[in-house]
Amino acid sequence: MAGIDYTERIPNNVSLHENRRLQRALEDWQPKFLEWWQDMGPNGYQAKEVYLRTAISVDAQGWAHFGYVRMPEYRWGIFLAEPEQGRQVNFGDHKGQPAWQEVPGEYRGTLRRLIVTQGDTEPASVEQQRHLGRTCPSLYDLRNLFQVNVEEGRHLWAMVYLLDAHFGRDGREESEALLQRRSGDADKPRILGAFNEKTPDWLSFFMFCFFTDRDGKYQLASLAESGFDPLSQTCRFMLTEEAHHMFVGEAGIMRIVQRACELMREHKTDDLRKHGGIDLRTMQRYLNFHCSVSLDLFGSEISTNAANFYTAGLKGRFEETKKQDDHLLKEATYGVAELDGDRIVMREEPALVSLNERLRDDYVADCARGVARWNEVIRKHGIDFELKLPHRAFHRAIGSFAEARVAPDGRVISQAEWDAKHHEWLPTEEDKAYIQSLMVPVTEPGKFANWIAPPARGINGQPVDFEYVRLA
Ligand code: BYC
């Protein structure tokens, strides 16, 4: 089923034409999606030609085609990874049973909620990023923004397919609601906290791609383990696309760090504001913010929801099938950081209710590897500064640390100390105004804003000065 039929109105590798009811439901949703894309998608660039990749197959080799496309004409389609013959439910109470091709009735509500929560993040991020095109630091970056945006749109399609194909009328209603909620709207906000924050500038965008899209990677990887096979196949293919989004974030921050180091060496100062750069301390404050709101996306440290998702076989651990244990976890324990008066201590908790924290641990370790690569750039310039991940209890709004005041180094502090110091740890109004002042568009091919270094190479073998977006 590797090939994708592009002659269809909705490109797909799920034999949509064989299911008239589903085809009609999706064809009915398609114009509503396009209307949402026009209203809430990239502002001001809908008629421009953008050098984008489009999925043309789900093969490990060569799944994408690159070419100029106007975004509203992007072929958003439905692509599932190849089925795994004889796949089973690999964890929880149904372990060893054949993977489900249809939704098990007893888990219908739970599964729908998981799919809706995942689906809701996709249009939310497009909404958050819709004004960024106006202030792009280069055509190369502009193209990457739009690539991320169209693929988040495709991820929405992926979840809507599951809802329409497997949840009947409820699913169709949820599909509509996904186009009606709005990021940051007081009356109809997006479901998860981080997706209601603003992404007002490109530093925030790159941090978002690094930290928040990485939550996407870990959540999708856990859902890819699901016993509900269509969800597993869908998420497996989404992960292929997600990798580019994290690359955009990691490489974007790396290029800002690179430029900061160059300016520091050139002007022999770390006060880069005089020289139009972004100093490393400001970057640390943005990092603290984006890391902490993304840590919230993993839910409470102790969660019966997470235990139930696992026991039911709906959402597994990261790399579930590579783990060497009983995949039931009824007797196992897991070390969880908890608040104990004015200290943070590690306690052994039942492994099942600790699954959110375990996934957060996998995530933090992955983030740390990226931060180490940024620090390597700083070290190579002979500069004595290290970017650091904040302690997981810092600036949290969800879970057991939500009520506590904790410094980035993990010290539990008083409200008075927080009030006195938080401006050293989180972006200040002054930081935001300065970063905003740098957001001046650079649109000549091969030219880059002063605060960011050019990338080492272009996209798909094209040169860095390629015309990635045709603005004329
Ligand atoms: N904000 O036991 P708890 C991505 C709610 S990103 C607001 O703590 P649970 C992407 C929770 O819903 C990946 N509410 O948590 C990235 C629950 O509500 P109810 C998105 C929150 O349920 C970039 C209550 O608090 N995918 O793909 O174990 C660009 C207590 O729940 C938050 C998924 O999230 C929050 N941060 O886990 C584009 C996967 N956290 O039941 C895309 C699907 C918790 O009391 N979702 N709550 O009404 C899940 O697996 C789970 O819903 C969560 C929460 C991990 C999010």
Side-chain angles (χ1 to χ4, degrees):
M1 78 170 195
I4 289 169
D5 185 351
Y6 272 92
T7 59
E8 296 225 21
R9 235 170 96 183
I10 302 169
N12 69 89
N13 70 349
V14 293
S15 306
L16 198 54
H17 62 278
E18 288 171 12
N19 186 339
R20 301 293 298 172
R21 188 199 58 77
L22 175 60
Q23 189 172 13
R24 269 200 306 277
L26 289 168
E27 285 179 358
D28 184 47
W29 187 81
Q30 189 175 35
K32 297 175 193 160
F33 166 82
L34 286 171
E35 199 177 313
W36 166 82
W37 180 269
Q38 288 287 358
D39 288 350
M40 296 311 296
N43 186 12
Y45 293 88
Q46 304 281 1
K48 306 295 179 200
E49 290 186 322
V50 187
Y51 186 69
L52 293 174
R53 81 175 173 189
T54 304
I56 48 160
S57 144
V58 293
D59 286 346
Q61 286 97 26
W63 58 271
H65 164 81
F66 287 78
Y68 283 104
V69 187
R70 289 187 186 85
M71 284 184 278
E73 289 157 22
Y74 189 77
R75 304 306 309 275
W76 285 286
I78 297 160
F79 316 124
L80 271 55
E82 295 283 348
E84 226 176 81
Q85 291 310 318
R87 185 165 179 269
Q88 298 185 338
V89 182
N90 292 314
F91 57 91
D93 286 350
H94 304 280
K95 184 171 163 260
Q97 295 173 12
W100 305 298
Q101 300 307 321
E102 294 300 330
V103 176
E106 57 188 314
Y107 302 136
R108 199 179 155 83
T110 315
L111 200 47
R112 191 182 66 209
R113 205 178 110 209
L114 277 172
I115 293 170
V116 167
T117 307
Q118 177 62 50
D120 190 68
T121 64
E122 317 290 1
S125 66
V126 175
E127 292 166 1
Q128 287 171 296
Q129 296 162 14
R130 71 181 296 255
H131 297 296
L132 288 174
R134 298 257 185 230
T135 58
C136 63
S138 72
L139 279 190
Y140 165 90
D141 290 294
L142 187 62
R143 175 265 166 211
N144 283 350
L145 166 72
F146 294 154
Q147 184 70 59
V148 169
N149 291 162
V150 292
E151 285 175 351
E152 300 302 7
R154 207 203 66 71
H155 290 181
L156 171 61
W157 270 94
M159 292 301 120
V160 163
Y161 162 72
L162 292 175
L163 289 168
D164 283 12
H166 296 281
F167 295 87
R169 182 206 277 228
D170 299 357
R172 289 196 293 281
E173 283 172 6
E174 293 285 12
S175 298
E176 304 264 318
L178 284 167
L179 295 176
Q180 281 155 12
R181 284 185 289 273
R182 290 284 180 274
S183 174
D185 189 299
D187 299 324
K188 40 181 179 114
R190 292 296 175 183
I191 297 171
L192 298 174
F195 294 91
N196 288 302
E197 300 286 349
K198 287 196 162 61
T199 312
D201 57 68
W202 282 76
L203 176 57
S204 303
F205 170 64
F206 291 130
M207 288 288 180
F208 182 96
C209 291
F210 183 83
F211 286 107
T212 309
D213 277 278
R214 194 173 310 273
D215 168 54
K217 167 182 166 184
Y218 281 84
Q219 298 296 342
L220 289 173
S222 305
L223 294 173
E225 302 288 346
S226 183
F228 178 49
D229 209 36
L231 177 60
S232 167
Q233 282 176 260
T234 302
C235 291
R236 272 192 278 139
F237 186 64
M238 288 165 77
L239 280 164
T240 322
E241 294 162 313
E242 199 72 28
H244 174 69
H245 307 183
M246 285 179 298
F247 159 80
V248 169
E250 182 171 333
I253 298 295
M254 186 161 312
R255 289 162 51 213
I256 304 177
V257 168
Q258 164 83 24
R259 186 66 188 134
C261 293
E262 288 166 7
L263 288 168
M264 282 166 86
R265 297 257 310 242
E266 190 180 325
H267 299 287
K268 307 206 173 8
T269 175
D270 52 11
D271 180 11
L272 298 185
R273 296 200 180 183
K274 285 193 226 92
H275 306 289
I278 303 181
D279 58 278
L280 297 174
R281 279 178 214 291
T282 303
M283 292 190 75
Q284 178 68 61
R285 287 193 282 277
Y286 275 75
L287 184 162
N288 288 346
F289 175 78
H290 286 274
C291 182
S292 57
V293 297
S294 302
L295 286 171
D296 274 340
L297 292 172
F298 290 81
S300 304
E301 288 73 12
I302 301 298
S303 166
T304 47
N305 283 347
N308 292 337
F309 298 155
Y310 187 86
T311 305
L314 303 178
K315 182 181 176 192
R317 288 171 291 177
F318 181 64
E319 300 191 328
E320 180 70 42
T321 45
K322 292 193 187 158
K323 296 195 191 301
Q324 303 294 327
D325 57 24
D326 66 2
H327 303 277
L328 301 174
L329 306 181
K330 303 241 189 244
E331 309 298 330
T333 62
Y334 191 77
V336 177
E338 287 172 14
L339 197 61
D340 183 6
D342 60 359
R343 287 181 323 139
I344 293 170
V345 295
M346 292 299 287
R347 281 215 188 95
E348 284 297 310
E349 295 286 354
L352 274 176
V353 291
S354 310
L355 285 166
N356 286 344
E357 186 65 356
R358 183 178 195 135
L359 193 62
R360 190 163 16 236
D361 282 343
D362 292 325
Y363 168 81
V364 169
D366 199 13
C367 290
R369 287 190 285 273
V371 174
R373 286 189 286 270
W374 299 335
N375 283 329
E376 189 56 20
V377 174
I378 304 176
R379 200 190 58 74
K380 279 198 177 137
H381 282 81
I383 292 167
D384 184 21
F385 187 95
E386 235 182 60
L387 290 165
K388 291 195 177 85
L389 289 178
H391 191 279
R392 72 183 58 212
F394 171 75
H395 188 238
R396 292 287 303 281
I398 298 280
S400 56
F401 302 113
E403 303 303 320
R405 290 302 191 190
V406 180
D409 63 6
R411 273 179 314 116
V412 181
I413 58 173
S414 65
Q415 183 67 37
E417 186 175 351
W418 174 268
D419 292 343
K421 299 239 180 85
H422 71 87
H423 64 277
E424 293 173 25
W425 302 329
L426 289 168
T428 61
E429 290 312 312
E430 206 187 331
D431 290 339
K432 291 179 196 169
Y434 175 67
I435 298 297
Q436 212 40 257
S437 77
L438 295 178
M439 298 297 121
V440 178
V442 176
T443 54
E444 198 182 318
K447 292 271 183 298
F448 289 81
N450 180 51
W451 50 270
I452 189 164
R457 60 188 67 81
I459 295 292
N460 191 38
Q462 300 290 357
V464 169
D465 63 0
F466 184 72
E467 191 177 14
Y468 287 104
V469 184
R470 289 180 175 150
L471 293 179

